[in-house]
């Protein structure tokens, strides 16, 4: 990511801007979506990181418990055998060092070094993985909001014109009251006006004196509104391009190694023949599935929301608008039909189909290794 620092800076700076099609409008609806997305992001980040940290803890705890349990049979020389009953301390990860790590203090130093380095490495990996997943999730929410804005464009524009008319009416009444305080002007009872979820509801005991917007003004505002939606769509597409530049190498490496990792873990559990190793192997396997499964799931959600832009544009009552508006809607539909997904460079896309292929490949490799091992 340090190599692609410009793309990283672009993604971080634009993740909040892309929520707003119109900067000062419909904030309550957008903020509610953002809050819901933050909750999902928390439930992704904290348990995901905790699972990996817990796995490291299990590895370290296993060695510590074994060392305490066999402290009376400890020896720094020779090999451990059932005949001699001698126990030799082992580091959490097998690694060759030019010193005898079974002796103190070399063992304690090597143990802490491996735990600290492995924890830092796993924590960094979790940060990168969750960064990508959370930004993909927010991008899918942004596409969902854009689809709602396009589909309800007529209602949104009508609301904008009514709010604008109401604001201008209030200004004129204020000026008239300051210049002609002796005259009492009859106004509409606006105390029960409610603006919620993009709809304006007027409840009044008097006649609504606010005039309905003219057809020309409405169509002109519809063209402006659709133009803003198209610019916002282009901004989202550019955002996904930069996000793909960051994530493509990472997703390719994960897809390449996940099948082999899951296969190796399963084969280790079969060959060991010990139930004591099962919790650690199951935790490893779950972490590996989660690491490849989360981006596949949210990338699929992003693709679905991107395709719904075309459905939203078709459902926006374009047939009641002039030809220029209809042509713009047609361009939106054509562009939205191109899938918006995470990629692995030229090697494919990140989706649930990829996750299924990884699991299937891991099972095939495991069955092959098991047959070869049984024959030997």
């Amino acid at each position: 990511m340090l190599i692609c620092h410009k793309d990283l800076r672009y993604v971080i700076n634009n993740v909040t801007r892309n929520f707003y099609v119109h900067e000062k409008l419909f904030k309550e609806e957008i903020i509610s979506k953002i809050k819901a997305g933050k909750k999902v992001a928390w439930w992704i980040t904290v348990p995901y990181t905790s699972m990996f940290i817990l796995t490291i803890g299990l590895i370290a705890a296993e060695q510590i418990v074994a060392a305490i349990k066999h402290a009376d049979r400890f020896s720094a020389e020779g090999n451990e055998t059932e005949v001699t009953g001698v126990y030799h301390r082992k580091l959490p990860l097998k690694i060759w060092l030019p010193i005898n790590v079974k002796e103190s203090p070399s063992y304690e130093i090597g143990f802490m070094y491996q735990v600290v380095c492995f924890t830092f490495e796993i924590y960094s990996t979790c940060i990168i993985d969750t960064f990508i997943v959370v930004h993909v999730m927010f991008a899918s929410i942004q596409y969902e909001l854009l689809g709602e804005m396009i589909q309800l464009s007529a209602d949104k524009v009508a609301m904008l014109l009514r709010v604008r008319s109401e604001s201008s009416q209030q200004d004129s009444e204020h000026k008239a009251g300051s210049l002609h305080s002796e005259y009492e002007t009859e106004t509409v009872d606006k105390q029960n006006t409610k603006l919620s979820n993009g709809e304006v509801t007027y409840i009044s005991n008097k006649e609504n004196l606010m005039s309905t917007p003219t057809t020309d003004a409405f169509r002109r505002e519809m063209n402006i509104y659709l133009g803003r939606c198209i610019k916002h769509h282009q901004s989202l597409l550019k955002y996904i391009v930069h996000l793909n530049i960051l994530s493509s190498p990472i997703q390719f490496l994960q897809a390449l190694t996940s099948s082999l990792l899951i296969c190796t873990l399963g084969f280790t559990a079969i060959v060991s023949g010990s139930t004591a190793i099962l919790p650690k192997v199951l935790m490893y396997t779950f972490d590996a599935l989660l690491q490849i499964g989360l981006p596949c799931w949210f990338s699929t959600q992003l693709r679905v929301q991107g395709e719904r832009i075309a459905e939203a544009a078709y459902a926006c009552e374009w047939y009641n608008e002039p030809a220029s508006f209809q042509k713009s809607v047609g361009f939106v539909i054509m562009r939205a039909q191109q899938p918006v997904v995470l990629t692995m460079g030229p090697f494919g896309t990140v989706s649930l189909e990829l996750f299924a292929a990884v699991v299937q490949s891991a099972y095939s490799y495991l069955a092959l290794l098991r047959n070869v091992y049984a024959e030997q």
Side-chain angles (χ1 to χ4, degrees):
M1 284 193 175
L2 293 177
I3 299 176
C4 307
H5 62 93
K6 293 183 179 179
D7 302 285
L8 179 61
R9 190 180 297 111
Y10 180 88
V11 168
I12 295 175
N13 292 337
N14 287 273
V15 64
T16 55
R17 300 174 187 173
N18 289 336
F19 279 103
Y20 298 94
V21 180
H22 303 275
E23 294 182 357
K24 299 181 180 180
L25 300 172
F26 319 119
K27 281 191 174 182
E28 293 183 1
E29 178 182 356
I30 294 172
I31 290 174
S32 65
K33 294 278 188 181
I34 295 175
K35 289 181 178 179
K38 285 183 177 179
K39 290 181 180 180
V40 176
W42 188 91
W43 282 108
I44 292 173
T45 304
V46 175
Y48 180 78
T49 307
S50 301
M51 287 294 297
F52 278 91
I53 299 299
L54 181 60
T55 304
I56 301 172
L58 286 176
I59 298 173
E62 180 184 7
Q63 299 298 325
I64 294 174
V65 171
I68 295 174
K69 183 178 179 181
H70 303 287
D72 56 337
R73 296 188 290 118
F74 166 73
S75 175
E77 298 178 358
N79 297 322
E80 178 184 1
T81 63
E82 296 181 358
V83 178
T84 59
V86 177
Y87 173 75
H88 300 278
R89 295 181 297 183
K90 300 177 182 178
L91 293 176
L93 301 176
K94 291 183 178 181
I95 184 173
W96 180 87
L97 293 173
I99 58 176
N100 187 4
V101 295
K102 297 176 183 178
E103 296 180 347
S104 297
S106 301
Y107 173 80
E108 288 77 8
I109 295 174
F111 185 89
M112 292 302 300
Y113 174 79
Q114 284 194 354
V115 170
V116 171
C117 291
F118 195 39
T119 302
F120 179 78
E121 179 185 357
I122 290 298
Y123 190 70
S124 302
T125 302
C126 291
I127 290 175
I128 295 173
D129 292 341
T130 53
F131 175 86
I132 295 173
V133 169
V134 169
H135 278 75
V136 173
M137 180 196 67
F138 279 133
S140 65
I141 295 175
Q142 292 162 1
Y143 269 96
E144 181 182 357
L145 287 169
L146 178 60
E148 294 176 359
M149 293 294 180
I150 294 177
Q151 184 172 357
L152 302 175
S153 57
D155 297 334
K156 300 291 185 183
V157 170
M159 188 197 74
L160 290 174
L161 292 175
R162 288 174 184 172
V163 171
R164 188 179 301 168
S165 177
E166 177 185 299
S167 178
S168 62
Q169 185 179 5
Q170 288 178 349
D171 293 341
S172 62
E173 288 176 358
H174 179 71
K175 292 179 181 179
S178 61
L179 295 175
H180 308 284
S181 58
E182 67 275 8
Y183 296 101
E184 295 182 358
T185 59
E186 183 180 3
T187 60
V188 180
D189 183 14
K190 303 182 186 69
Q191 295 180 353
N192 295 326
T193 303
K194 298 180 179 180
L195 179 59
S196 62
N197 298 328
E199 297 179 0
V200 177
T201 305
Y202 291 90
I203 305 173
S204 176
N205 296 326
K206 299 181 181 181
E207 182 180 1
N208 187 0
L209 301 179
M210 185 170 56
S211 60
T212 304
T214 61
T215 303
D216 293 338
F218 181 81
R219 289 181 174 176
R220 184 168 57 252
E221 192 66 31
M222 281 287 287
N223 286 326
I224 296 174
Y225 182 90
L226 182 61
R228 291 177 178 174
C229 289
I230 292 175
K231 289 182 179 180
H232 187 71
H233 190 202
Q234 296 296 324
S235 177
L236 288 179
L237 293 173
K238 185 178 179 181
Y239 178 82
I240 297 300
V241 170
H242 287 276
L243 187 59
N244 263 319
I245 294 174
L246 291 175
S247 64
S248 291
I250 300 172
Q251 300 305 323
F252 172 71
L253 291 176
Q254 287 183 355
L256 188 64
T257 58
S258 293
S259 297
L260 297 177
L261 178 60
I262 296 171
C263 170
T264 303
L265 292 171
F267 184 70
T268 302
I270 295 173
V271 172
S272 64
S274 174
T275 57
I277 200 176
L278 285 180
K280 185 168 62 175
V281 170
L282 290 176
M283 190 73 71
Y284 271 138
T285 305
F286 185 76
D287 292 342
L289 290 173
L290 205 60
Q291 190 175 30
I292 188 65
L294 282 176
C296 289
W297 170 265
F298 285 102
S299 179
T300 302
Q301 295 299 313
L302 176 63
R303 183 184 65 187
V304 170
Q305 295 299 335
E307 292 173 351
R308 286 181 180 174
I309 297 295
E311 300 176 3
Y314 186 77
C316 72
E317 300 182 2
W318 52 269
Y319 43 81
N320 294 328
E321 303 303 323
S324 59
F325 185 91
Q326 295 177 8
K327 289 181 180 179
S328 299
V329 169
F331 289 134
V332 172
I333 294 174
M334 291 175 61
R335 181 60 185 86
Q337 288 176 346
Q338 300 180 15
V340 181
V341 291
L342 290 184
T343 63
M344 299 182 296
F347 303 102
T349 61
V350 181
S351 62
L352 289 177
E353 291 79 4
L354 173 65
F355 179 74
V358 168
V359 175
Q360 183 178 4
S361 299
Y363 180 78
S364 300
Y365 298 153
L366 178 59
L368 178 62
L369 287 176
R370 185 178 180 181
N371 293 332
V372 172
Y373 180 78
E375 291 177 357
Q376 294 179 353

